[in-house]
């Protein structure tokens, strides 16, 4: 056996630069990937929200709350689970605020983003479950795009491998973040051997999770937040085995990385929710901004102007929404007549309150199709690196 026979015939390269200077402004590949992921999630969510009756542009109002809250939550989770760098011996507590240096935890991002989305949904009058289910396939796609930032940073890889897709890793300059160290000839220095690109495994897995959510949602018409629960289950299964492959420093409990335990616990919580919660997919109809709304909810809006388009000003910024089922939503799209709200939801419409005092008006049947009557429209839509994104 010769030395040449041990040399891999193929390998995946890594960038030697992750930060570019635009005058005095640093342009970071990691940040660009995060922003691109957010854009992808917003586009997918906007499409799915509109299919459920939400007015155009609502996703931007949600993102204004969810994105900052998600970033804050991601940073808090990272600092709490990796405190040595900030509060240990020789640590710098102020560095906990240096988010541009990396260090975001996906669990904190999802939790913080959920809080922000919930606040935005309350202000817009949209059921939070509608927002969560609309986001379900877009979020893993955003995570997949964001993981490309780890490739630029030469981080979050696994152990040594001789597989054809083994990853070359540059030795990064600690005094010049985002740049690889160079030898005397000016060539970037590579770490010896090849490594499992675990960030790429996760990115591919996330794409698969998005496709799974779309397929199951198309087949079973998931509602009440169950599409989002399915995303959580799919993601945590992949994160569990990928975490076991990673070699970067991490907090451990009983010999296992913290994120392994977190994946298992979050999966169980999502599974319980998915199995226990039942109900058809929810749709909403907008209450125009110029319509009177009763103080108790469920305004007296019996007719909309059919000449209005989806982009008319009052539909772009409605006063609120009323939750309806699929049959009612179809009727609304065909006639423009806003259906009465079921009792126990938004309350009965004022003009029929006396007639419906003894009726719950609720439905508990599976959704037969999408807003336009079609089925499955949603389907179209070795060395230790720095742990920047846990």
């Amino acid at each position: 056996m010769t030395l040449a026979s041990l040399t891999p015939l193929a390998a995946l390269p890594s960038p030697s630069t992750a930060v570019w200077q635009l005058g005095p402004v640093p342009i970071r590949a990691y940040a660009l990937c995060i922003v691109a992921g957010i854009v992808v999630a917003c586009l997918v969510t906007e499409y799915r929200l509109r299919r459920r009756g939400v007015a155009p542009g609502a996703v931007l109002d949600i993102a204004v709350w969810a994105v900052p809250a998600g970033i804050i939550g991601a940073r808090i989770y990272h600092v709490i689970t990796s405190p040595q760098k900030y509060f240990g011996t020789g640590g710098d507590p102020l560095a906990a605020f240096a988010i541009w240096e990396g260090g975001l935890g996906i669990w904190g991002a999802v939790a913080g983003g959920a809080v922000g989305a919930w606040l935005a949904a309350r202000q817009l009058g949209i059921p939070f479950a509608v927002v969560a289910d609309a986001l379900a396939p877009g979020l893993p796609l955003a995570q997949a795009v964001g993981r490309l930032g780890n490739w630029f940073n030469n981080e979050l890889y696994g152990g040594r491998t001789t597989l054809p897709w083994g990853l070359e890793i540059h030795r990064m300059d600690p005094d010049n973040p985002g740049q690889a160290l160079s030898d005397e000839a000016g060539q970037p220095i590579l770490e010896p051997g090849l490594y499992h690109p675990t960030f790429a495994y996760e990115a591919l897995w996330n794409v698969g999770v998005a496709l799974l959510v779309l397929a199951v949602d198309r087949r079973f018409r998931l509602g009440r937040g169950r599409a989002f629960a399915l995303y959580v289950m799919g993601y945590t299964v992949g994160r569990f085995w990928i975490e076991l492959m990673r070699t970067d420093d991490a907090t451990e409990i009983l010999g296992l990385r913290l994120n392994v335990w977190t994946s298992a616990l979050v999966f169980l919580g999502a599974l319980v929710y998915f199995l226990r919660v039942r109900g058809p997919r929810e749709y909403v109809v907008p209450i125009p901004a110029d319509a009177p709304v009763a103080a108790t909810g469920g305004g007296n809006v019996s007719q909309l102007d059919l000449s209005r388009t989806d982009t008319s000003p009052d539909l772009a910024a409605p006063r609120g929404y009323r939750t309806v089922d699929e049959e009612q939503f179809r009727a609304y799209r065909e006639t423009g007549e806003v259906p009465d709200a079921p009792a126990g939801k938004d309350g009965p419409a004022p003009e029929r309150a006396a007639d419906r005092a003894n009726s719950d008006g609720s439905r508990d049947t599976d959704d037969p199709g999408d807003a336009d009557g079609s089925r499955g429209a949603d389907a179209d839509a070795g060395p230790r690196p720095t742990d920047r994104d846990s």
Side-chain angles (χ1 to χ4, degrees):
M1 182 179 294
T2 64
L3 181 62
S5 65
L6 296 177
T7 303
L9 299 178
L12 296 177
S14 290
S16 59
T17 301
V19 180
W20 301 272
Q21 289 295 139
L22 185 61
V25 180
I27 306 298
R28 305 178 189 275
Y30 185 81
L32 293 177
C33 292
I34 295 296
V35 171
I38 292 172
V39 171
V40 170
C42 286
L43 291 175
V44 174
T45 305
E46 167 75 1
Y47 174 78
R48 288 170 61 83
L49 283 175
R50 292 187 66 174
R51 300 294 293 178
R52 286 154 177 75
V54 178
V59 71
L60 297 180
D61 296 319
I62 296 171
V64 166
W65 287 84
V67 172
I71 294 175
I72 293 172
R75 186 61 173 178
I76 291 175
Y77 180 87
H78 169 75
V79 172
I80 291 176
T81 57
S82 304
Q84 298 83 1
K85 177 180 177 181
Y86 310 102
F87 308 108
T89 303
D92 180 10
L94 293 179
F97 299 97
I99 195 171
W100 56 89
E101 294 181 357
L104 300 174
I106 183 60
W107 311 111
V110 174
V115 172
W118 176 77
L119 291 172
R122 275 184 65 89
Q123 290 193 352
L124 296 172
I126 307 171
F128 180 60
V130 172
V131 176
D133 283 339
L135 177 62
L139 187 53
L141 291 177
Q143 292 173 262
V145 175
R147 280 303 182 201
L148 293 177
N150 303 129
W151 177 59
F152 278 95
N153 285 340
N154 287 251
E155 63 188 2
L156 300 195
Y157 47 85
R160 296 278 289 268
T161 182
T162 58
L163 292 171
W165 55 85
L167 184 71
E168 295 178 340
I169 296 295
H170 290 99
R171 188 171 298 171
M172 305 304 285
D173 187 350
D175 298 323
N176 190 13
Q179 306 296 327
L181 288 170
S182 299
D183 57 21
E184 295 179 353
Q187 297 299 315
I189 299 174
L190 289 171
E191 298 286 359
L194 302 177
Y195 303 85
H196 280 287
T198 52
F199 65 85
Y201 297 163
E202 184 174 334
L204 293 174
W205 183 273
N206 286 338
V207 173
V209 169
L211 296 176
L212 172 68
V213 172
L214 287 171
V216 175
D217 191 32
R218 176 181 181 179
R219 173 65 179 84
F220 296 104
R221 324 304 302 159
L222 300 177
R224 312 291 181 179
R226 298 178 77 217
F228 190 83
L230 179 62
Y231 145 71
V232 173
M233 288 189 291
Y235 174 73
T236 51
V237 168
R239 188 62 184 265
F240 185 91
W241 66 265
I242 291 171
E243 278 292 324
L244 295 175
M245 298 181 65
R246 284 172 52 171
T247 60
D248 50 292
D249 293 322
T251 302
E252 293 187 355
I253 299 176
L254 299 179
L256 291 177
R257 298 166 67 94
L258 175 61
N259 282 331
V260 173
W261 292 104
T262 305
S263 296
L265 293 175
V266 174
F267 171 84
L268 291 175
L271 177 62
V272 170
Y273 183 92
F274 186 84
L275 294 178
R276 290 180 61 87
V277 174
R278 289 290 186 270
R281 178 182 295 170
E282 296 172 302
Y283 293 81
V284 297
V285 294
I287 300 173
D290 58 350
V293 178
T296 58
N300 182 11
V301 186
S302 60
Q303 188 72 27
L304 291 181
D305 185 355
L306 294 180
S307 66
R308 293 169 178 154
T309 65
D310 285 346
T311 56
S312 60
D314 54 349
L315 286 181
R319 184 184 294 265
Y321 292 91
R322 177 174 294 162
T323 303
V324 297
D325 60 22
E326 172 69 19
E327 181 181 350
Q328 292 172 317
F329 189 56
R330 283 183 184 175
Y332 162 72
R333 291 291 295 268
E334 292 172 359
T335 67
E337 182 178 348
V338 177
D340 293 336
K345 295 279 187 178
D346 299 323
E351 68 272 19
R352 299 190 60 187
D355 296 336
R356 300 178 60 187
N358 297 322
S359 172
D360 61 8
S362 62
R363 297 177 181 266
D364 193 18
T365 58
D366 290 334
D367 264 338
D370 273 322
D372 59 357
S374 64
R375 299 185 66 86
D378 292 337
D380 298 329
R384 305 280 181 168
T386 301
D387 189 358
R388 290 178 175 268
D389 189 346
S390 55

